[in-house]
């Protein structure tokens, strides 16, 4: 396993002006983060301007066709850190995340993620996060909203994210076969719950379960309405 001392955080963006500064400001407070690569998928709002207004030299902004997989792969090509951490634009990492990532990785644990929670929160969302985290511990499958991290060279060797929907699940399956189960950092990140609230918490959970079951059976993912303005 390659030595891991520095972290590049990669953030795919699409119309995230309302929260992108909060996400990046928190990321850049961590001393282990040497750069933050933001990849815009053609935002029609002020997302890119909000990033530029932060004025931090560690931020590198690029553009790529709108697709989380395509944007994250483009960001990974530009990264120089030992570890790549893929972060959704509406997600805030726990304080001290960099040290936890670097100490969590080892020759036996070469990739990982964080435990999940929603913000804002209610009992339905807490239940969904509890099920989410239990599923991850049992299956080893990591979702994108858990801030997946992996050594840069390892990521390249595994072939990067497949350019499809459910790229996080698809990459997890490859990683599980090649590397074994991920390290799950218990400190919880917080993901904006707007998508689940907009759809309805349990309706959204049902759709997510349906999508995953279809994917695992080798069927078309479908559910374009769920992914619209989300991927």
């Amino acid at each position: 396993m390659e030595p891991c001392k520095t972290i590049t955080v990669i953030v795919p963006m699409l119309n995230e002006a309302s929260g992108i500064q909060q996400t990046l400001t928190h990321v850049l407070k961590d001393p282990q983060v040497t750069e933050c690569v933001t990849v815009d998928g053609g935002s029609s709002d002020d997302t890119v301007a909000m990033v530029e207004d932060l004025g931090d030299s560690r931020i590198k902004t690029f553009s790529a066709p709108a697709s989380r997989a395509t944007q994250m792969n483009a960001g990974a090509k530009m990264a120089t850190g030992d570890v790549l951490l893929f972060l959704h634009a509406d997600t805030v990492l726990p304080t001290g995340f960099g040290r936890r990532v670097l100490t969590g990785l080892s020759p036996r644990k070469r990739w990982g993620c964080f435990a999940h929670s929603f913000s804002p929160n209610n009992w339905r969302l807490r239940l969904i996060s509890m099920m989410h985290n239990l599923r991850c511990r049992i299956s080893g499958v990591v979702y994108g909203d858990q801030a997946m991290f992996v050594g840069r060279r390892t990521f390249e060797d595994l072939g990067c994210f497949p350019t499809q929907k459910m790229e996080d699940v698809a990459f997890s399956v490859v990683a599980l076969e090649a590397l074994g189960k991920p390290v799950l950092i218990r400190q919880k990140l917080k993901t904006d719950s707007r998508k689940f609230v907009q759809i309805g918490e349990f309706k959204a959970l049902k759709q997510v379960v349906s999508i995953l079951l279809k994917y695992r059976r080798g069927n078309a993912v479908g559910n374009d309405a769920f992914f619209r303005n989300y991927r």
Side-chain angles (χ1 to χ4, degrees):
M1 176 183 171
E2 66 268 32
C4 296
K5 297 181 180 179
T6 60
I7 299 172
T8 295
V9 176
I10 298 169
V11 185
M13 309 183 300
L14 182 63
N15 296 329
E16 295 287 353
S18 62
I20 190 63
Q21 285 194 338
Q22 178 188 13
T23 296
L24 296 185
T25 298
H26 188 76
V27 163
L28 295 167
K29 288 179 181 178
D30 195 289
Q32 309 297 339
V33 175
T34 55
E35 65 180 355
C36 182
V37 177
T38 61
V39 186
D40 187 67
S43 295
S44 58
D45 64 3
D46 294 329
T47 297
V48 174
M50 297 295 283
V51 173
E52 292 174 347
D53 283 349
L54 289 174
D56 194 302
S57 61
R58 289 171 293 172
I59 301 176
K60 301 175 182 177
T61 302
F62 302 93
S63 61
S67 157
R68 275 210 176 124
T70 300
Q71 289 170 248
M72 291 189 295
N73 287 340
K77 289 181 180 179
M78 303 298 176
T80 61
D82 303 320
V83 177
L84 308 180
L85 190 155
F86 299 95
L87 181 66
H88 286 188
D90 62 356
T91 299
V92 176
L93 290 162
T95 300
F97 71 88
R99 176 179 54 81
R100 294 187 178 103
V101 166
L102 296 181
T103 57
L105 292 171
S106 71
R108 296 182 62 185
K109 294 288 186 179
R110 298 170 61 189
W111 69 302
C113 64
F114 289 82
H116 178 273
S117 69
F118 282 111
S119 176
N121 214 335
N122 60 44
W123 72 268
R124 294 178 295 276
L125 293 169
R126 285 194 294 272
L127 176 60
I128 291 171
S129 285
M130 183 180 70
M131 295 171 63
H132 193 21
N133 294 326
L134 178 62
R135 172 207 51 76
C136 182
R137 283 195 294 271
I138 293 172
S139 70
V141 173
V142 176
Y143 288 175
D145 59 5
Q146 291 178 268
M148 183 187 298
F149 54 87
V150 61
R152 179 164 53 88
R153 293 177 186 171
T154 299
F155 179 75
E156 293 168 353
D157 291 343
L158 292 177
C160 305
F161 287 105
T163 53
Q164 62 180 71
K165 292 173 181 175
M166 301 293 287
E167 77 289 332
D168 45 6
V169 175
F171 183 83
S172 288
V173 171
V174 173
L176 279 168
E177 292 177 353
L179 308 175
K181 282 191 174 183
V183 56
L184 175 62
I185 295 179
R186 294 183 179 274
Q187 285 77 13
K188 296 178 180 178
L189 51 69
K190 291 186 180 295
T191 295
D192 193 304
S193 61
R194 69 189 188 277
K195 186 68 181 183
F196 276 70
V197 171
Q198 174 189 341
I199 295 174
E201 291 96 330
F202 289 129
K203 184 178 179 181
L205 176 61
K206 182 179 178 181
Q207 289 190 33
V208 170
V209 171
S210 174
I211 290 168
L212 184 57
L213 287 175
K214 286 181 180 179
Y215 181 87
R216 299 289 284 188
R217 292 169 182 164
N219 298 329
V221 170
N223 287 290
D224 287 338
F226 185 81
F227 289 103
R228 191 175 298 125
N229 298 323
Y230 182 66
R231 294 267 176 202

